[in-house]
Amino acid sequence: MSNSPGTFLGMPAFPEAAREAVANRTLRGNLRHATHTIRAKRAEAVAELADWAELREAGKRIKDHTLRHLDRYLVQLEESVTAAGGIVHWAADADEANRIVTELVKATGEPEVVKVKSMATQEIGLNEALEAAGIRAYETDLAELIVQLGKDRPSHILVPAIHRNRGEIRDIFAREMSEWGRPAPEGLTDTPAELAEAARLHLREKFLRAKVGISGANFMVAETGTLVVVESEGNGRMCLTLPDTLISVVGIEKIVPTWQDLEVFLQTLPRSSTAERMNPYTSTWTGTTDSDGPGAFHLVLLDNGRTDTLADEVGRQALRCIRCSACLNVCPVYERAGGHAYGSVYPGPIGAILSPQLRGTGSDIDASLPYASSLCGACYEVCPVAIDIPEVLVHLRERVVEGGTVTQGGNKVVLGPAKGHAAERAAIRVAGWVLGRPRALRSGQRLASRSRRLVPRKIPGPGRAWSDSRDLPTLPAEPFRDWWQRTNGGKDGAK
């Protein structure tokens, strides 16, 4: 449930949500097992390629080039899709995208749709919008099915049900499947094979009955108008080929100029996400063809804050993201807090920089996300398109603390300084004044050294939140400058 596109209803700021999640031992155990397993397999898969660094740099350059010329490539994509028999719709925000898709489904007269896993449709709350119009949407990705049946929220980009263990999944299937269609088999156990078979039988009747499919896309190729979905289960192939009508909702940043560019990402994405050399199912479609696949194809190009993000020279690199989830699997904060604490369909390090840019930093949760990181840099090291997430986090922290003017929805919005940062702003101003005056700095250093025994280990007052998990560094008995003058006279260098 959400009260605005992509924001979970009633979501507190990250520190409060994370505190509750960290106290859940079952959740932490599930996350630790899953993320450690995925990251180890990914490391092995990446190590097989001697040119991984070159592929990473190539992916970065392709994405940066495309973003610099996004207007031109989007027009080319529209022309290519239209020439191939598809229809292109432009959606400035979530409400417009939901309206377009709802009207398209209503025009078919169908009361239900099947869906390929799509983060863009989760971002805009499409399932809820369809439900409000009397249309039922069925998730067909196994993990998304678990989340939907459990009346839950996704907590990982690649594995949305990563917070669930096999016993919990068995209970969800046994309890909920009958309400959505074919019930779970009697005596269902928690073995992976039985759980997968129960899901397959449950979904098969929906695939064969559905007349409308809804998808996202991993990539869009401008030169041919081709869309690409990569997946591991085959549910995507069923949704993309069996229905009479296919509607794809895709963020405008998912475009690549040519098929040759696509070659790079079809090597880096599977190894970074599922630790596979290639995805078991790579589905591509270009418009419509007679007697093969859907007879009607609609592409909804979604902005929803992306052009605003593009205007930020530092923050725009978040739009390179290919949704591999490698950054989540190495993040020590995500491993302990889980995805729900981020209050967005985009959790983890990438969500901490993407969500505040797409949604703005006006809410408590969005203002807190740039701080949901230790800045250890592990996320940057594994990113297959070299997004410098720590750099963007620091950049967004500055925006939160200082406020200022940003562009949201095409309009200039003035953001006041964030609440709760008055002490931080005051400390920075004092530090700036002192550091700009050498005599004041030296006097302050001497005073601090002489009173070092009176300095507490924790910061009192507003700074306590920072020092709850950190000890203040011990002050030296003598400032460095005084030691330098006393031992060397500041002339001969250290001895």
Side-chain angles (χ1 to χ4, degrees), residues 112-124:
E112 61 184 25
V113 300
V114 289
K115 288 184 65 194
V116 184
K117 179 176 181 292
S118 164
M119 301 203 75
T121 60
Q122 292 172 347
E123 174 190 328
I124 64 176

Side-chain angles (χ1 to χ4, degrees), residues 34 64 74 208 215 233 236 309 364:
D64 283 347
L74 285 171
L208 297 177
S215 83
E233 300 170 15
T309 303
D364 289 342

Side-chain angles (χ1 to χ4, degrees), residues 1-2 4-8 11 117-126 128 144 147 152-160 304 306 323 328 334 339-348 350-352 354-355 358-359 365-366 369:
M1 294 294 292
S2 62
S4 65
T7 307
F8 296 134
M11 198 68 208
K117 179 176 181 292
S118 164
M119 301 203 75
T121 60
Q122 292 172 347
E123 174 190 328
I124 64 176
L126 179 61
E128 292 79 6
E144 290 289 356
V147 169
D152 203 349
R153 302 194 305 267
S155 63
H156 191 276
I157 289 177
L158 180 67
V159 194
N304 203 37
R306 286 160 173 80
R323 309 292 191 266
L328 280 71
Y334 175 85
H340 291 159
Y342 293 83
S344 168
V345 298
Y346 303 112
I350 186 62
L354 185 59
S355 298
L358 295 182
R359 305 187 308 208
I365 181 64
D366 289 314
L369 286 179

Side-chain angles (χ1 to χ4, degrees), residues 175-248:
R175 184 177 65 247
E176 302 292 341
M177 270 188 170
S178 60
E179 297 296 321
W180 290 76
R182 179 169 178 154
E186 291 290 334
L188 179 66
T189 72
D190 64 356
T191 60
E194 287 196 28
L195 294 174
E197 179 67 6
R200 187 186 71 83
L201 295 173
H202 178 81
L203 291 171
R204 184 55 57 96
E205 65 176 10
K206 293 179 171 54
F207 291 137
L208 297 177
R209 185 179 67 221
K211 301 298 182 183
V212 180
I214 295 179
S215 83
N218 294 97
F219 307 101
M220 302 180 291
V221 183
E223 69 175 349
T224 59
T226 302
L227 274 70
V228 184
V229 162
V230 296
E231 39 118 6
S232 300
E233 300 170 15
N235 64 296
R237 183 70 54 85
M238 303 283 272
C239 291
L240 296 168
T241 58
L242 293 179
D244 297 331
T245 300
L246 175 61
I247 305 168
S248 298

Side-chain angles (χ1 to χ4, degrees), residues 66-67 72 85 95 108 124-125 133 151 156 172 193 215 257 341 350 422 443 462:
T66 307
L67 291 172
R72 172 161 61 90
D95 290 339
T108 68
I124 64 176
K151 302 177 180 64
H156 191 276
I172 290 172
S215 83
I350 186 62
S443 298

Side-chain angles (χ1 to χ4, degrees), residues 2 13 27 31 39 48 53 92 136 142 164 166 206 234 239 258 281 342 380 383-384 391 415 443 462 467 470:
S2 62
L27 173 64
L31 289 169
R39 79 167 73 160
E48 292 179 351
R136 198 165 199 182
L142 176 57
R164 297 290 193 182
R166 292 184 300 177
K206 293 179 171 54
C239 291
T258 69
Y281 295 90
Y342 293 83
Y380 171 65
C383 179
E391 178 188 30
L415 298 176
S443 298
S467 64
R470 305 172 178 88

